[in-house]
Amino acid sequence: MYSVYIHVPFCIRRCGYCDFNTYTSPDLGGGASRGNYANLAVREMVLARQWQESQGIEEPAASTIFFGGGTPTILAAHDLIRMVDAVRAVWGIEPEAEITTEANPDTVDHAYLAELKAGGFTRVSFGMQSAVPSVLATLDRTHTPANVESGVKAAQALGLETSVDLIYGTPGESIQDWDKSLRAAIDLGTGHISAYALTVEPHTRMGRQISRGIIAAPDDDDQAAKYRAADQAFTQAGLDWYEVSNWARPGHESRHNLGYWHNVDWVGIGPGAHSHYRRGKASAAAEASGLRAWDIAHPRKWAEVMEEGRLPWQGSESLGWKEKMEEAIILGLRIRDGLDLARLDRLADAGVEGPEGPEGLAGPEGRRRATVTDLVSSLSQEGLAVYDPQADALTATLEGRMLNDLLIERFFEAYGL
């Protein structure tokens, strides 16, 4: 599987809680404008393919493409389609590929969505956040619940897959408000719903309001109660959890996001976008190596580097067995497929065979496995995880999902990471 992520860094306005790499100016200089953005993204695709070839990396045709932001739908539909066409020209696109854009409900209508559908898009993820106007106001969202419903219904009428994103734990949001949002999202009939706990970053507008005591900080117990309510409501409606913050009807999971959680190769296009490459799969040593890279964040500087014919990376890092183990643990404990313990063994073997294997991995493999077996048994007894011996995988329970950081910490300790 190979995926393409395209970051569109433009927004109409910045929401008070948002910490993403986004800009409200339509023109940031150096060619980095809304009107020229598709040209720049296509240029980076060509440069990325040239770099891959120079490294001997041969990727298959893209199986998923995802436009995130920012607000991708602030651009003209034909610009988004042009970038899809460029992916097809540079790497190819699988016949049944999933092609998704995030959408602000304020920025799309039936005609816009129909153009996307005709241009090959298969899926639209709407930023709903809440069905309660007062909560939307606290989040600085400009859309209304009616905008969300009309957008989702228009997409569904065109045969597009739909998803909605919710945020829980907004200051002032009651449990009744959250229940209303849950019911509204379910009643839309989408195949996929994401629900994220509000995270407050100190340098955002909301962060400054909280630090000055204007509004209250999110409460951990309140967020836990709302997560439980979400899981129960979605499950009863026929949507199963497949990742800590994501629920879907069977067969409607986001294939692009599943690719991230299964650590496939992907290329990130656009300011601040990240890329990930594995270095091989033929042996434990090959599996335990890779590369992560990230683009220059500011659009003007990003564009200027490409004018010089260079790939606009801000930096990169090689991934050894230790980083790959950390990734495997963090990602595996978030998904319903579970943490693949056999893969951890292979990665640990690569660490022991290397020149600087840590104390936690030293010694006979059997002793290491006994330590992990004890941990698995303990987590099962505590009701935090369930072990599947046939798959040799550990899956978090509802309680474990809410204490995900604790599970990760305990596995890091077991492996001496």
Side-chain angles (χ1 to χ4, degrees), residues 208-225:
R208 293 190 294 271
Q209 288 177 317
I210 289 173
S211 67
R212 293 197 297 264
I214 297 172
I215 56 177
D219 178 79
D220 289 345
D221 291 338
D222 174 70
Q223 289 189 330

Side-chain angles (χ1 to χ4, degrees), residues 166-168 173-182 226:
L166 296 174
I167 290 178
Y168 58 91
E173 178 190 57
S174 67
I175 191 66
Q176 292 78 19
D177 290 336
W178 180 235
D179 286 341
K180 181 177 180 180
S181 294
L182 294 174
K226 288 171 179 173

Side-chain angles (χ1 to χ4, degrees), residues 155-211:
Q156 290 171 338
L158 290 163
L160 289 161
E161 287 278 341
T162 58
S163 174
V164 295
D165 291 351
L166 296 174
I167 290 178
Y168 58 91
T170 301
E173 178 190 57
S174 67
I175 191 66
Q176 292 78 19
D177 290 336
W178 180 235
D179 286 341
K180 181 177 180 180
S181 294
L182 294 174
R183 179 47 49 196
I186 291 168
D187 288 348
L188 289 171
T190 65
H192 187 285
I193 302 177
S194 301
Y196 301 103
L198 177 67
T199 300
V200 178
E201 299 296 340
H203 59 275
T204 61
R205 180 173 179 269
M206 178 176 283
R208 293 190 294 271
Q209 288 177 317
I210 289 173
S211 67

Side-chain angles (χ1 to χ4, degrees), residues 63-108:
S63 53
T64 71
I65 304 171
F66 193 101
F67 289 81
T71 306
T73 49
I74 201 173
L75 301 183
H78 63 77
D79 280 341
L80 299 185
I81 294 166
R82 179 161 177 247
M83 287 183 269
V84 170
D85 290 341
V87 172
R88 182 177 292 106
V90 173
W91 290 288
I93 300 176
E94 286 186 354
E96 301 300 321
E98 175 190 88
I99 304 177
T100 304
T101 184
E102 293 179 341
N104 183 319
D106 281 344
T107 60
V108 298

Side-chain angles (χ1 to χ4, degrees), residues 6 55 144 175 208 271 278 301 347 349 369 376 395 417:
I6 301 172
Q55 300 296 308
T144 67
I175 191 66
R208 293 190 294 271
R278 295 169 294 176
K301 295 179 180 178
L347 292 169
D349 289 343
R369 187 64 191 224
V376 169
T395 301
L417 299 173

Side-chain angles (χ1 to χ4, degrees), residues 380-409:
S380 298
Q381 291 174 8
E382 295 170 46
L384 298 178
V386 175
Y387 175 64
D388 179 352
Q390 185 173 359
D392 196 16
L394 188 75
T395 301
T397 62
L398 174 60
E399 294 296 327
R401 282 181 266 156
M402 292 192 293
L403 296 172
N404 197 253
D405 289 345
L406 173 64
L407 269 63
I408 292 169
E409 180 182 334

